[in-house]
Amino acid sequence: FFGDTAGVAAHMAKHRALIAPKFAALERILTENFADTPGVSWSTPKGGYFVTLTVPEGTATAIVKLAKEAGIALTPAGATHPGGEDPQDAIIRLAPTFPPLDEVEKAMAGVAVCVKLALA
């Protein structure tokens, strides 16, 4: 399928062209809403398919629940931890790779509202 190393690189470049704008939108929305919010931070991966959103202790499960109630599908809070149990209840894994860009933007705007509600 790939032929050689150059074929793999070309295929991965196509993936990057599809996925990079989604990660950029996620980064933009998080920055616009939480750049100066204590306790809220996120990873900026150089590759891969996920962003780790860190929220104040004890709020991740509530944020995921609020998102679900709003019709936004997120991975369960703590999914990055062994057994899915985050003792601080502070980690949410965001996966913007599958939905179309416009849906990523809408979902992230909704996630931002859910974070703000949980922090309030």
Side-chain angles (χ1 to χ4, degrees):
F1 177 77
F2 297 117
D4 56 19
T5 304
V8 173
H11 186 75
M12 294 310 291
K14 289 177 186 177
H15 276 277
R16 181 176 181 81
L18 292 172
I19 296 171
K22 298 174 185 185
F23 277 82
L26 186 147
E27 177 80 25
R28 176 182 49 79
I29 292 165
L30 290 175
T31 299
E32 288 171 356
N33 285 279
F34 303 110
D36 298 321
T37 304
V40 179
S41 62
W42 53 93
S43 63
T44 305
K46 303 258 186 260
Y49 297 95
F50 305 103
V51 168
T52 300
L53 175 63
T54 304
V55 293
E57 189 169 327
T59 63
T61 299
I63 292 165
V64 171
K65 182 177 183 229
L66 287 166
K68 183 176 182 178
E69 291 170 359
I72 302 166
L74 296 176
T75 59
T80 57
H81 288 66
E85 294 294 325
D86 172 7
Q88 282 76 43
D89 190 26
I91 302 296
I92 301 169
R93 179 169 49 184
L94 303 173
T97 54
F98 180 72
L101 178 59
D102 65 321
E103 289 183 21
V104 170
E105 291 173 334
K106 290 174 189 172
M108 284 310 302
V111 168
V113 171
C114 294
V115 172
K116 290 177 182 183
L117 286 169
L119 297 183

